[in-house]
Amino acid sequence: MADSGRAERLTQLDPASTRAQERLGDRVSRHLQSDSHLSVAAYAVLVHLADTPGGRMLSADLAASVGREKSRTSHQLSRMVKRGLVVREGCPEGGRGAFGVTTPEGREMIEAAAPAMSKLCAVCSSTL
């Protein structure tokens, strides 16, 4: 009997937590887009690249770091290449794979976006 009561409480809480998570994600996305002209996915890629020596990372490792599929990360990198935020460099070892590498423009974008994003995260965390 206790299990069915717990399941009922979890069912009642889940829609509220899901809506809160969606609103938070929407808020972060809107702020990033309006303030920095970056999507959440592009921001994540730039953050992970900025954390590496030389701002470069194998695409497969980058996909794992941002928690996305390799194909989705590859498409994201293609969009970012078109914007001049990253370049792709071939991998000399084995000839398979490529490195995603931040450009000076990409570094400028992440450096400009990071303070506002940190502030937004602090505000959102304080309201939880």
Side-chain angles (χ1 to χ4, degrees), residues 3 11 18 21 23 26 32 35 44-45 53 59 74 76 90 95 112-113 117 119 126-127:
D3 287 343
T11 302
T18 300
Q21 184 178 13
R23 284 194 309 267
D26 290 345
L32 259 177
D35 295 347
V45 166
S59 296
S74 178
Q76 180 64 48
M117 187 63 169
K119 184 177 178 181
S126 69
T127 61

Side-chain angles (χ1 to χ4, degrees), residues 14-29 128:
D14 188 53
S17 65
T18 300
R19 281 191 301 274
Q21 184 178 13
E22 288 169 354
R23 284 194 309 267
L24 179 60
D26 290 345
R27 185 176 180 186
V28 168
S29 181
L128 293 179

Side-chain angles (χ1 to χ4, degrees), residues 20-101:
Q21 184 178 13
E22 288 169 354
R23 284 194 309 267
L24 179 60
D26 290 345
R27 185 176 180 186
V28 168
S29 181
R30 274 193 318 275
H31 279 280
L32 259 177
Q33 198 66 264
S34 67
D35 295 347
S36 306
H37 307 288
L38 288 171
S39 66
V40 172
Y43 181 82
V45 166
L46 289 173
V47 165
H48 285 271
L49 288 175
D51 243 4
T52 63
R56 67 194 314 248
M57 197 174 205
L58 277 171
S59 296
D61 295 339
L62 181 59
S65 291
V66 298
R68 296 190 152 212
E69 299 88 17
K70 287 188 259 185
S71 64
R72 181 172 265 189
T73 302
S74 178
H75 289 295
Q76 180 64 48
L77 285 173
S78 293
R79 289 188 292 274
M80 294 174 75
V81 165
K82 287 178 186 173
R83 291 184 62 191
L85 303 176
V86 298
V87 293
R88 281 193 169 108
E89 293 180 356
C91 180
E93 296 174 19
R96 295 200 54 150
F99 286 96
V101 185

Side-chain angles (χ1 to χ4, degrees), residues 8 34 44 64 77 80 103 107 122 125:
E8 185 176 321
S34 67
L77 285 173
M80 294 174 75
T103 62
R107 281 189 292 281
S125 294

